[in-house]
Amino acid sequence: QGEACGAVEVASPNLPAAHLQMDVFILLFLAAAGANHSGHVILQLPAPWPPGIGRLSLAVSRAIRAEPQASAVELPVPVDEWFRIQQSGINVSLIAEDASHFYSQRAAAVVATTVADSEVATAGATAGDGANESTANETSEMVGRALAGRVGPAGSSLTLGSMGGFLKPAELKAEMSRLTRLYPTKLSAPIKIGTTHQGRSIDMWCVSDNLQECNGKGVLPTVLYTALVHAREPQTLACLIRVLTAILESSALGDTTSAHLLSTRKMLLMPIANPDGYAWNADTSPRGGGMRRKNGRKTCSSTGATSNDGVDLNRNFGYKWAYDTIGSSSRGCNEEYRGNAPFSEPETSAMKIVVEKFRPAAILHWHGWGNDLAFPFSYDWRAALNSKELSLFQEFAMEMTTRNHYASGRAWEVVGYTTNGEADDWGWGDEKIPSFTLEVGSSRDGFWPPPNRIQPIAEESVWPGLYLLHAAGAQLQLETLQISGARTNRATITFKVQNNGLRSFTGNHAACVRTLREGVTLAAGDGWKTNRLGSACASVALLHARQSLSLPPLSISWNEAVEWVETDLAFEEQQVSGGIVTNFKVRFQTRDDTLNTCDDLCMCPQEDAHQITYTHECKAKMKVGSHCRLPLHAAAGTNYASGVDDEFFSFKASQYASGGLCRVVSTHRDTLIAVYGSCSRTGAQEPKAFSNSEGHIAQVEFPCKAGEEFFLFWNAEYIPGRHAFTITEKCVSGCVREHRTRHRLLRVQRFSRHRHA
């Protein structure tokens, strides 16, 4: 059967006629295209999005979810999915018959435009005073068909390479050597941790003010970063390098936060986690666009190596390896071939060695594309995470995506399908290390974004990468602000702080609050003392990892003219310790709506976690249905979703006190349905049921009894309109109807009153 990678295995005579027809199509297409075809085409699909597209192509469905308001999506699609779209009659344009050729040509066109613009600018400068005579040579030097040298603002740019703007393996080594020379006390030389099938070194670099820590586990909180697990995703390498240069350059320029991280944390970097696969792409497509995903093992071709050979490294990890044939494949030509055993590949074994030797506090893997952040578990929606574990992942993901606004969740939540033998599942399932995958770039960027998109996409990874480094140790944040006892121009406020890090906040600290504007007065009550600067201070001795603490209530009053109360909450170190000193600027509105009706949803989203605004206006701006804490209402019978947004609905069962089964069906359109049993401030918890519409209608069933509330997540296909889904309750066995239970209770109550009378 034809696979997503474009390879065709021997068709079984028992396959349905449609499958045989698809095999013949792919065989003929690839025979005409040539042996080096990438197995992907580039398609453009215009809006409005046609119903049914999600059942035909996971790639298109994912692209639409990432860019729902776009007028069209342009993306790489496996040949077999293209065939299904063609057969459906959906209006779609074939932009390029070979994704690899398309990517290299696109890169060359962008480079040519950049060079022309640079030459024009240089000519103008030369005509003026001749002062910039060498600018063209410095900024437009060509290596192959791409710009080499540094682009963008001084001190913050990436070094581009010759492979469509991306670094070839040798260029990566040169860049790391350059950075090591610039920062010899902070960045180590390469550390060899394994050898590939084809004899290439699997290397790692270590970053810290104390390079002695790079010899083993050490004492510093550590984060492992990996890129190019999939060889056709070079943007991941650019993202990793950008996180590295951001912290090194900022520290060198005097940024105290970066300097603090380098002195109290350790970074482990695996820039090319799949050396054989990436080298194959560089050798066969030196101008960019190589589409080999897997490693260097020969698994498909009987003669020379092809892009279909190899083991998918992100299906070769040990936890739930070969769990099923949906999330990985046993066939060597398949893109998701998992290998013949867990950790059968030197690349995954090398990563295992690093984790066992250094015991990182957290792991971040980069992949492309999708603009989302995934976390465990991905092998099955039923996979259990307790509320504390899930809250950790949800909260980290929420913070990591604050600036880039990526979607986040488990794979089945954000992309609609499951995977097994995957790195994040292994990181948490076997090693108990919080592990995340950042999928970077849009569908239009594809696997090989054009050179002018490399830096912008990389910038979107800086905050997630550095946030995780912060959180590897102790990290304080303001969880919420509680206001009570509000009356004319006065109220009681309670700051609830959280150590959102993975290590304890230790030592002897004081939390000190002061006002930042005239007309506001603090009254330090029980648990507070006034220091010499006039701040109210409360003692904070110890806060364990992921633990919250409510500071003592604090009375505050303000003049009539004050519309916003502004305060500074600082954690001051009383002695030398491993704790982090930090402060927050907190302001809240003095209107009655804020003082009397607000909860933590009134905490406004902020790119700067240290600038907190608390007002009812932020909660009012939240769209109903956008969070399980603010759901739309659903009831038994027919309900309607908008088709424009992903939406949460709350539903309360009412029919059966026992033995009941609830069913949700969406038959008129493609969708993803997930049902949860509870909701917290970080998101929906306790999954009860899940279904996507890949190959069938989306429908779920789950046990329910009267009075239980459930949260239904309805994932849209972004076709505006009223889209129906139905909820029904039925009896399975031994059912007791709720009204009969109520009647029995009433009889018991009457009998009890009669006896007492």
Side-chain angles (χ1 to χ4, degrees), residues 277-289:
Y278 196 52
W280 193 92
N281 284 335
D283 291 341
T284 60
S285 302
R287 296 182 179 181

Side-chain angles (χ1 to χ4, degrees), residues 202-405:
I202 305 170
D203 292 332
M204 179 188 77
W205 281 260
C206 179
V207 185
S208 176
D209 271 352
N210 182 5
L211 293 181
Q212 294 299 316
E213 283 268 331
C214 301
N215 297 323
K217 180 180 178 182
V219 298
L220 296 179
T222 302
V223 178
L224 170 63
Y225 301 88
T226 79
L228 282 171
V229 170
H230 288 152
R232 68 185 182 198
E233 299 165 8
Q235 181 64 48
T236 65
L237 173 60
C239 291
L240 182 149
I241 296 298
R242 182 64 193 112
V243 172
L244 171 64
T245 58
I247 191 169
L248 291 176
E249 292 173 354
S250 296
S251 176
L253 292 171
D255 179 66
T256 56
T257 300
S258 298
H260 174 79
L261 286 174
L262 287 172
S263 66
T264 60
R265 305 287 194 275
K266 180 169 58 184
M267 304 169 72
L268 303 176
L269 311 177
M270 294 180 66
I272 304 181
N274 182 358
D276 286 351
Y278 196 52
W280 193 92
N281 284 335
D283 291 341
T284 60
S285 302
R287 296 182 179 181
M291 288 294 286
R292 186 169 190 156
R293 166 185 169 105
K294 300 181 287 181
N295 75 346
R297 184 187 286 273
K298 184 172 288 189
T299 63
C300 182
S301 59
S302 58
T303 55
T306 72
S307 62
N308 303 319
D309 279 306
V311 171
D312 183 347
L313 300 178
N314 208 32
R315 304 295 184 272
N316 189 241
F317 290 88
Y319 190 75
K320 301 300 180 181
W321 179 84
Y323 178 76
D324 59 30
T325 57
I326 299 172
S328 64
S329 175
S330 61
R331 294 180 289 182
C333 293
N334 191 287
E335 281 201 325
E336 297 184 344
Y337 175 53
R338 58 184 172 242
N340 57 22
F343 294 109
S344 61
E345 304 311 295
E347 297 88 352
T348 51
S349 295
M351 204 173 297
K352 188 172 187 287
I353 289 170
V354 170
V355 167
E356 290 174 347
K357 180 177 181 180
F358 290 90
R359 301 308 303 170
I363 304 173
L364 180 60
H365 305 283
W366 274 279
H367 283 264
W369 44 270
N371 286 347
D372 57 65
L373 179 66
F375 53 78
F377 285 117
S378 294
Y379 71 92
D380 194 320
W381 69 265
R382 304 172 194 84
L385 285 173
N386 64 43
S387 59
K388 288 185 178 179
E389 293 172 334
L390 183 53
S391 291
L392 182 154
F393 284 108
Q394 288 176 331
E395 188 151 24
F396 274 34
M398 184 170 61
E399 297 290 350
M400 292 166 71
T401 59
T402 295
R403 300 185 183 183
N404 59 28
H405 308 296

Side-chain angles (χ1 to χ4, degrees), residues 168-222:
K168 289 182 176 179
E171 294 168 346
L172 179 276
K173 289 183 179 179
E175 173 65 0
M176 295 302 289
S177 295
R178 182 186 74 84
L179 292 172
T180 301
R181 290 193 300 272
L182 280 176
Y183 307 100
T185 63
K186 302 181 187 301
L187 177 61
S188 76
I191 303 168
K192 184 174 181 178
I193 53 175
T195 304
T196 69
H197 290 299
Q198 298 174 7
R200 293 183 177 85
S201 178
I202 305 170
D203 292 332
M204 179 188 77
W205 281 260
C206 179
V207 185
S208 176
D209 271 352
N210 182 5
L211 293 181
Q212 294 299 316
E213 283 268 331
C214 301
N215 297 323
K217 180 180 178 182
V219 298
L220 296 179
T222 302

Side-chain angles (χ1 to χ4, degrees), residues 84-162:
R84 291 198 293 267
I85 294 171
Q86 281 186 306
Q87 292 296 100
S88 73
I90 288 174
N91 177 31
V92 63
S93 300
L94 178 65
I95 302 299
E97 290 189 354
D98 185 1
S100 181
H101 181 71
F102 171 81
Y103 288 137
S104 63
Q105 291 296 104
R106 181 173 69 174
V110 171
V111 168
T113 301
T114 304
V115 171
D117 290 345
S118 178
E119 288 173 348
V120 169
T122 303
T126 304
D129 58 12
N132 295 313
E133 225 170 82
S134 63
T135 302
N137 290 331
E138 291 175 357
T139 61
S140 306
E141 178 189 354
M142 297 294 293
V143 179
R145 289 291 300 167
L147 284 174
R150 302 177 62 75
V151 297
S156 63
S157 58
L158 285 166
T159 297
L160 297 186
S162 63

